[in-house]
Amino acid sequence: MSNTDTRDPTSLRTPIVAVLGHVDHGKTSLLDKIRGSAVIEGEAGAITQHIGATAVPLDIISSIAGELVDPDDFDLPGLLFIDTPGHHSFTTLRSRGGALADIAILVVDVNDGFQPQTLEALDILKRSQTPFIVAANKIDTVPGWDENEDTPINDTYEAQSDRVRERLDESLYEIIGNLSDEGFSADLYWRVQNFQRNVGVVPVSAMTGEGVPDLLTVMMGLSQRYMKEEMEIDVAGPGVGTVLEVKEEKGFGKTIDIVLYDGTIREDDTIVVGGQNDPIVTEVRALLQPRPLAEIRTESRFENVDEVGAAAGIKVAAPELEDAMAGAPVRVVRDRDLEDVIGEVQAELADIAVDTAEAGVVVKADTLGSLEAMADALDEAEVPIVRAEVGDVAPRDISVASTADDPKQQVILGFNVDVLSDAQQRAEIEDVEVFTDEVIYQLVEEYEDHIEAIEKAQQDTILENITRPARFRILPDHTFRQNDPAVVGVEVDAGTLQNNSNVVKFEGNEPDRVGQVKGIQEQGEDVDEARNGDRVSVAIDGPTVGRDIEEGDRLWTEIPEKHAKILEQELTDEIPGDELEALNMYLDKQRNRDPFWGK
């Protein structure tokens, strides 16, 4: 901001409201309800559709809320709801170091309670310190509910039977309890004195409109009371905003949908936009907003406007926007020094930069804010990142991931992004694992499961190639053949006796190799191994019964020193307890003779 502060307390911008919550808990239908009521209340012209946002002016809010809202109590112009579909991550879109939204509504299905995305949304609200209220949606689905369209919650609540009220209360208290578990003190909104310290819960139905008047009232009241100063904008100043999405638009090429939260933007303005590499400097060719609902029939969906003031959602057409990023800052230059503005954009991007390591996984996310949230989550899980970028998973990401030395890092984690088809094929050829999800912590969990599976497979491979410890004894009266090979009945006392392993007998602490197992039979069937407690007949090539070995002798599998070391140092958790016991006894005998054996 220049020193001549042109902020004007009399011109306040609309607070920006984010709506978030679990996939089918009714975020979209709640917005549709507010929009629909607004259209009915104020004729089609009163409500303006912005790009990725809906503006609901104060007089419309007042007419929906009825006696709950007296427009004379407010000087904020209304509310701007961000409604980019599927963007439950748009809460992580940023404005100058904070969340783009001034205030948020967390939608929770009153019957379904907290779900993974609810918890994730709460985590994001906590991190960005965005004030919010909870809309406990779908109250009309409580068994026995008697609908009263569009009424304030207290009126319709009073009209319900005691049994229905009890059911609703139970669900509401569960939600309040869940919030408390997450560290938020919450209560039903009419009991909350201080909304800065407590989260208000508003029961609503997006279907019947019950409780919607209360929701709008609380949003207006909160904004008016706690955010009025932040809503003072620089009316004539150069615009500042955040990119919501980068889109191809017929006739305009690549465009950016932005939310403007300060100042104005005009046609022909020079703007600086955060890009994949360097900030992009370009000129506004056209500002586009959706045509009013009444004129949708015309050829083009958009109309050109010369100028837009905050807060607003607007589509900007300009050359060279290919590398623009969702979540990146947009600044109008106007009468300022271009280098200064580029510097501001770079500084804001540097704030969000993810620390990368020499080796690690590749991370892709849909916006800068969600990229940052992903990096935080991976940092907590101690997973290093080699490269982090906004955008879909592309072939070059596969190339980067495929060069990792460690198979555990030949991985791409994509949050809320698509995998381009040629990248999918490359991944299969290059053996790169690609995980995508719309919930950050589930993505991290999938990766952790993948690591566990790799580690298990590595252990299994090592185990397959290692001689397993075993102690066994020759049973009395069980000599079936004396030599070439000797065939005797044995009982395995501990461990796993494997075919083809060498056999030793200890004289004191001196191991003496007596021969090699050349076959194991259990009840006449050939088997590869015998476990602790099994009685089997064993062919041993080398010894003669009565000379080299005797009935009643205790024999051991000979463990090569290198194998003993790996078993003791790396695989103790992977082998059964009795096998570990056989290993330890074997090591004790060897170490009585040579203290450093197998170390």
Side-chain angles (χ1 to χ4, degrees):
M1 256 331 305
S2 58
N3 297 341
T4 55
D5 194 337
T6 51
R7 286 183 179 273
D8 176 0
T10 59
S11 62
L12 300 172
R13 75 162 169 81
T14 327
I16 298 167
V17 183
V19 182
L20 55 155
H22 191 68
V23 156
D24 43 13
H25 283 191
K27 297 186 301 232
T28 314
S29 42
L30 189 59
L31 268 168
D32 287 345
K33 186 71 192 173
I34 293 170
R35 264 202 293 262
S37 313
V39 169
I40 294 159
E41 287 294 340
E43 306 305 298
I47 179 163
T48 51
Q49 247 333 83
H50 292 237
I51 301 279
T54 301
V56 183
L58 177 62
D59 55 343
I60 301 286
I61 289 175
S62 169
S63 59
I64 298 174
E67 64 230 37
L68 296 179
V69 171
D70 177 351
D72 296 343
D73 296 346
F74 297 92
D75 38 18
L76 289 173
L79 297 168
L80 182 74
F81 291 90
I82 299 187
D83 56 0
T84 43
H87 254 32
H88 79 262
S89 62
F90 65 72
T91 37
T92 62
L93 287 170
R94 328 205 343 165
S95 67
R96 286 200 204 116
L100 173 62
D102 301 302
I103 189 166
I105 300 175
L106 178 62
V107 182
V108 183
D109 179 333
V110 81
N111 303 303
D112 204 11
F114 276 36
Q115 296 298 321
Q117 286 173 334
T118 321
L119 291 167
E120 174 146 73
L122 268 179
D123 188 48
I124 288 167
L125 291 168
K126 209 181 287 182
R127 282 175 202 257
S128 60
Q129 295 187 311
T130 305
F132 68 99
I133 58 171
V134 172
N137 190 23
K138 307 195 185 180
I139 55 173
D140 58 296
T141 59
V142 171
W145 187 264
D146 185 17
E147 291 182 12
N148 296 283
E149 292 240 340
D150 301 329
T151 44
I153 188 63
N154 281 323
D155 298 357
T156 188
Y157 183 83
E158 292 302 319
Q160 306 301 324
S161 70
D162 291 350
R163 200 145 105 250
V164 168
R165 273 188 249 176
E166 274 166 32
R167 282 179 182 150
L168 177 60
D169 289 347
E170 234 167 86
S171 305
L172 292 172
Y173 282 114
E174 195 161 317
I175 291 175
I176 290 169
N178 289 142
L179 283 162
S180 163
D181 295 344
E182 296 305 311
F184 294 97
S185 149
D187 208 340
L188 296 166
Y189 91 87
W190 53 87
R191 299 200 184 126
V192 173
Q193 296 292 310
N194 182 334
F195 280 92
Q196 278 178 307
R197 281 207 292 276
N198 298 297
V199 173
V201 176
V202 184
V204 298
S205 161
M207 284 299 132
T208 66
E210 291 164 286
V212 170
D214 306 72
L215 190 67
L216 293 171
T217 306
V218 178
M219 297 304 292
M220 278 309 294
L222 265 178
S223 310
Q224 177 75 22
R225 183 172 302 170
Y226 299 117
M227 294 179 203
K228 194 173 153 185
E229 282 175 17
E230 293 164 40
M231 299 301 116
E232 291 173 10
I233 53 166
D234 185 358
V235 191
V240 185
T242 298
V243 178
L244 274 183
E245 280 183 85
V246 184
K247 277 200 195 133
E248 189 71 39
E249 206 62 66
K250 226 168 112 182
F252 292 103
K254 274 277 194 289
T255 63
I256 48 176
D257 293 355
I258 70 167
V259 168
L260 189 73
Y261 58 84
D262 201 351
T264 58
I265 183 167
R266 305 175 188 145
E267 215 174 291
D268 297 336
D269 264 336
T270 299
I271 54 171
V272 180
V273 184
Q276 294 279 4
N277 306 310
D278 299 317
I280 301 161
V281 178
T282 183
E283 273 184 22
V284 178
R285 289 270 178 273
L287 295 175
L288 305 167
Q289 64 184 33
R291 289 185 177 278
L293 298 171
E295 299 174 23
I296 277 301
R297 290 182 300 280
T298 52
E299 277 306 286
S300 79
R301 308 200 324 266
F302 303 110
E303 54 183 354
N304 274 35
V305 288
D306 300 337
E307 178 173 14
V308 173
I314 187 85
K315 181 180 283 294
V316 179
E320 288 158 33
L321 290 174
E322 284 71 30
D323 285 345
M325 280 187 294
V330 180
R331 285 169 180 268
V332 171
V333 179
R334 213 159 290 160
D335 44 16
R336 297 182 295 161
D337 180 68
L338 177 62
E339 290 310 315
D340 288 353
V341 181
I342 292 174
E344 283 172 22
V345 169
Q346 273 167 329
E348 210 171 313
L349 288 172
D351 256 5
I352 314 173
V354 173
D355 290 334
T356 51
E358 289 291 304
V361 298
V362 174
V363 177
K364 300 294 295 247
D366 59 344
T367 71
L368 277 171
S370 46
L371 194 63
E372 191 176 33
M374 269 296 298
D376 281 349
L378 288 171
D379 186 43
E380 272 168 38
E382 296 181 5
V383 177
I385 298 172
V386 71
R387 176 157 166 185
E389 288 181 347
V390 170
D392 290 332
V393 178
R396 65 195 185 105
D397 299 316
I398 309 292
S399 311
V400 174
S402 68
T403 59
D405 296 335
D406 183 344
K408 293 179 206 164
Q409 294 176 344
Q410 290 170 357
V411 168
I412 294 173
L413 301 179
F415 173 70
N416 238 8
V417 292
D418 291 329
V419 181
L420 304 177
S421 58
D422 41 356
Q424 191 67 57
Q425 291 158 353
R426 281 282 291 279
E428 282 156 28
I429 297 163
E430 302 268 5
D431 235 8
V432 168
E433 290 285 340
V434 181
F435 296 98
T436 57
D437 205 304
E438 292 183 357
V439 177
I440 289 177
Y441 74 80
Q442 286 181 343
L443 194 54
V444 177
E445 274 172 17
E446 282 169 52
Y447 176 65
E448 285 173 338
D449 292 346
H450 171 66
I451 296 300
E452 218 167 281
I454 290 181
E455 284 174 354
K456 177 109 185 64
Q458 286 171 339
Q459 304 285 36
D460 290 350
T461 318
I462 296 171
L463 267 178
E464 272 165 31
N465 300 315
I466 240 166
T467 306
R468 309 282 285 270
R471 184 179 89 226
F472 56 101
R473 63 192 168 88
I474 302 174
L475 297 166
D477 302 329
H478 276 69
T479 303
F480 305 118
R481 186 168 164 175
Q482 276 193 292
N483 58 10
D484 292 331
V487 179
V488 289
V490 304
E491 179 168 8
V492 181
D493 295 332
T496 306
L497 176 61
Q498 291 171 307
N499 204 2
N500 299 322
S501 46
N502 290 324
V503 177
V504 293
K505 181 174 161 182
F506 280 97
E507 298 295 339
N509 292 317
E510 283 298 328
D512 183 17
R513 184 188 292 186
V514 293
Q516 189 179 27
V517 176
K518 277 299 175 202
I520 304 174
Q521 278 201 339
E522 187 168 21
Q523 291 167 337
E525 295 285 322
D526 285 328
V527 293
D528 290 332
E529 59 177 44
R531 282 282 295 122
N532 174 39
D534 290 349
R535 288 185 161 207
V536 291
S537 59
V538 178
I540 306 175
D541 200 21
T544 300
V545 180
R547 193 170 65 215
D548 308 298
I549 53 175
E550 306 284 346
E551 290 188 352
D553 271 357
R554 180 164 282 180
L555 303 176
W556 298 75
T557 295
E558 179 181 30
I559 306 175
E561 188 170 3
K562 199 166 117 198
H563 290 205
K565 183 175 177 174
I566 292 174
L567 278 162
E568 185 182 34
Q569 293 178 4
E570 293 177 31
L571 298 174
T572 52
D573 293 343
E574 302 296 316
I575 59 178
D578 57 281
E579 202 169 297
L580 190 56
E581 181 196 350
L583 171 70
N584 289 332
M585 288 173 75
Y586 188 88
L587 288 171
D588 287 347
K589 284 179 176 295
Q590 292 281 18
R591 285 172 186 168
N592 280 338
R593 186 177 50 79
D594 167 8
F596 294 105
W597 194 87
K599 284 195 172 173

